[in-house]
């Protein structure tokens, strides 16, 4: 089993609380996250959210279910419950910069079939950039910049 790790960060002119709320709003992912055909919260408490995403790419459709542990305005820890990965964990971290925030997306994963590993890892690496930028664009259209 080979675990792949990807980490990307972006500096934003938005409050940490606003970015945390935007990322934790799983129900709205279908509106702006690439390849996400459907997104839905299955269960939600103050401590966690169980959400499902239906992702379609190149004619393949996959369902990904994660339990997201919420530490308000600091991080969201994602743990795979169901999906095409042998292993998948992720974390969004948010840092208050006073004049904005830093958002970091950190993913570790392995796929079930080694034949698909190189294809999956390359696709996921490219996808992380695109997904991160989709959140930036969503923030630009939904949030008010810090003053």
């Amino acid at each position: 089993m080979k675990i792949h790790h990807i980490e990307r960060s972006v500096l934003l002119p938005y409050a940490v609380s606003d970015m945390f709320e935007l990322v934790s709003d799983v129900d709205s992912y279908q509106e702006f996250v690439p390849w996400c055909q459907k997104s839905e919260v299955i269960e939600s408490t103050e401590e966690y959210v169980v959400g499902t995403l239906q992702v379609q790419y190149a004619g393949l459709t996959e369902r990904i279910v994660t339990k997201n542990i919420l530490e308000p305005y600091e991080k969201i820890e994602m743990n795979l419950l169901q999906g095409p990965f042998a292993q998948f964990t992720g974390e969004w971290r948010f840092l208050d910069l006073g004049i904005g925030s830093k958002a970091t997306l950190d993913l570790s994963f392995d796929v079930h079939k080694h034949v698909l590993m190189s294809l999956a890892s390359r696709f996921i690496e490219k996808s992380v950039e695109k997904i991160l930028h989709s959140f930036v664009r969503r923030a630009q259209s939904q949030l008010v910049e810090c003053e």
Side-chain angles (χ1 to χ4, degrees):
M1 181 184 305
K2 183 175 181 193
I3 304 297
H4 292 270
H5 181 251
I6 303 168
E7 183 176 317
R8 300 288 188 272
S9 296
V10 63
L11 300 177
L12 300 156
Y14 309 107
V16 166
S17 58
D18 290 341
M19 287 306 302
F20 180 89
E21 295 299 329
L22 186 141
V23 172
S24 63
D25 183 14
V26 173
D27 278 329
S28 69
Y29 282 16
Q30 63 195 1
E31 298 172 15
F32 69 96
V33 174
W35 310 290
C36 182
Q37 299 296 305
K38 184 178 179 184
S39 56
E40 180 180 20
V41 170
I42 298 169
E43 182 180 350
S44 180
T45 71
E46 288 185 20
E47 292 84 31
Y48 68 87
V49 171
V50 176
T52 182
L53 303 180
Q54 181 176 307
V55 180
Q56 185 175 39
Y57 182 78
L60 298 173
T61 301
E62 293 288 347
R63 184 170 182 251
I64 302 168
V65 181
T66 60
K67 182 175 184 178
N68 305 329
I69 309 300
L70 308 175
E71 290 186 31
Y73 315 131
E74 291 181 27
K75 72 178 180 176
I76 300 170
E77 181 182 314
M78 298 173 285
N79 298 288
L80 182 69
L81 298 178
Q82 179 186 342
F85 300 95
Q87 180 178 337
F88 176 92
T89 58
E91 188 173 85
W92 279 96
R93 292 185 305 274
F94 306 94
L95 179 63
D96 187 349
L97 302 175
I99 57 169
S101 58
K102 178 180 177 182
T104 300
L105 177 57
D106 187 351
L107 301 174
S108 295
F109 65 94
D110 184 28
V111 295
H112 286 293
K113 297 181 170 103
H114 291 291
V115 177
L116 299 175
M117 177 52 79
S118 62
L119 177 62
S121 61
R122 280 183 272 155
F123 168 72
I124 292 172
E125 286 182 36
K126 290 179 182 179
S127 299
V128 168
E129 290 288 332
K130 197 166 190 164
I131 290 167
L132 185 60
H133 289 294
S134 74
F135 281 92
V136 171
R137 286 190 303 278
R138 181 71 166 191
Q140 290 168 339
S141 71
Q142 301 283 314
L143 304 178
V144 176
E145 292 185 15
C146 294
E147 293 186 17

